[in-house]
Amino acid sequence: VHLVESGGGSVQPGGSLRLSCEASGFAFSSFYMSWVREFPGRGMEWVSGITRDGRDATYDYSVQGRFTVSRDNTKDMLYLQMNNLRSEDTALYYCAPVLNDCTGGPGGYCRSAITGTPYNMWGPGTQVTVSS
């Protein structure tokens, strides 16, 4: 599994960013994909996920109505459109084939959508900073 996230940056509150994730090394179109973010000292937080066919998406309540996840299985790409960004969205964002039941906090983990076991093949992530 190889994942490369991009599109992060620094924006003011209310601004927008579009994150991209280039996937390779596995059958991307066969698996549920998620965006997960990491806050310093707080571990991973699941943000959004999308079914393998792209038809169904789910979101954490904190981003519902502001973020939109999508995928292009012809290009093995995952996207996250982030609108009306808030300071509390500041984090390092990762894409991964993980399920929507990440446990937070130190020692927390996300389960792989491929194996069901704790996932550990994270990409470099892309930093999103929201500040005035």
Side-chain angles (χ1 to χ4, degrees), residues 71-84:
R71 66 192 295 164
D72 185 341
N73 287 343
T74 67
K75 298 179 180 178
D76 289 357
M77 293 290 294
L78 183 73
Y79 304 99
L80 186 68
Q81 178 65 44
M82 310 165 69
N83 297 329
N84 193 20

Side-chain angles (χ1 to χ4, degrees), residues 14-33:
S16 298
L17 287 171
R18 188 190 193 214
L19 306 185
S20 297
C21 169
E22 183 175 354
S24 61
F26 69 107
F28 176 81
S29 63
S30 297
F31 297 103
Y32 186 90
M33 290 294 296

Side-chain angles (χ1 to χ4, degrees), residues 19-86:
L19 306 185
S20 297
C21 169
E22 183 175 354
S24 61
F26 69 107
F28 176 81
S29 63
S30 297
F31 297 103
Y32 186 90
M33 290 294 296
S34 290
W35 285 97
V36 177
R37 60 189 178 184
E38 182 178 28
F39 303 97
R42 286 173 46 186
M44 295 291 194
E45 176 183 279
W46 179 84
V47 175
S48 177
I50 188 167
T51 53
R52 55 187 181 178
D53 61 5
R55 292 183 180 180
D56 294 301
T58 52
Y59 302 90
D60 182 77
Y61 76 95
S62 64
V63 305
Q64 182 78 43
R66 301 187 297 121
F67 291 11
T68 302
V69 61
S70 61
R71 66 192 295 164
D72 185 341
N73 287 343
T74 67
K75 298 179 180 178
D76 289 357
M77 293 290 294
L78 183 73
Y79 304 99
L80 186 68
Q81 178 65 44
M82 310 165 69
N83 297 329
N84 193 20
L85 283 160
R86 304 168 180 169

